[in-house]
Amino acid sequence: MNTKEESINKVDELVNRAQMAINDWQCSGDVDCLEKAAAYLRAAMMEAEGKNE
């Protein structure tokens, strides 16, 4: 697998984790879940922009 594919897979995984955290928030109302989702999305953006190297 090349570096671009690995990066895409990493971004996909981070976005999936953000979606799960949002789902947790919808069930619990716990703001910490939203903070976790935001952190995953920031990491995904950085990875997509190539800033996570």
Side-chain angles (χ1 to χ4, degrees):
M1 189 178 322
N2 68 30
T3 305
K4 184 175 181 176
E5 289 176 42
E6 290 171 356
S7 181
I8 289 170
N9 289 339
K10 187 171 183 180
V11 169
D12 284 345
E13 178 63 26
L14 290 164
V15 170
N16 287 338
R17 288 176 186 238
Q19 289 172 326
M20 288 188 289
I22 290 168
N23 290 343
D24 289 345
W25 167 76
Q26 289 174 319
C27 293
S28 70
D30 187 356
V31 175
D32 287 341
C33 296
L34 289 179
E35 291 173 356
K36 189 181 293 186
Y40 284 131
L41 291 174
R42 278 191 297 273
M45 287 173 41
M46 289 180 68
E47 179 69 31
E49 293 172 348
K51 296 179 180 176
N52 235 12
E53 298 174 1

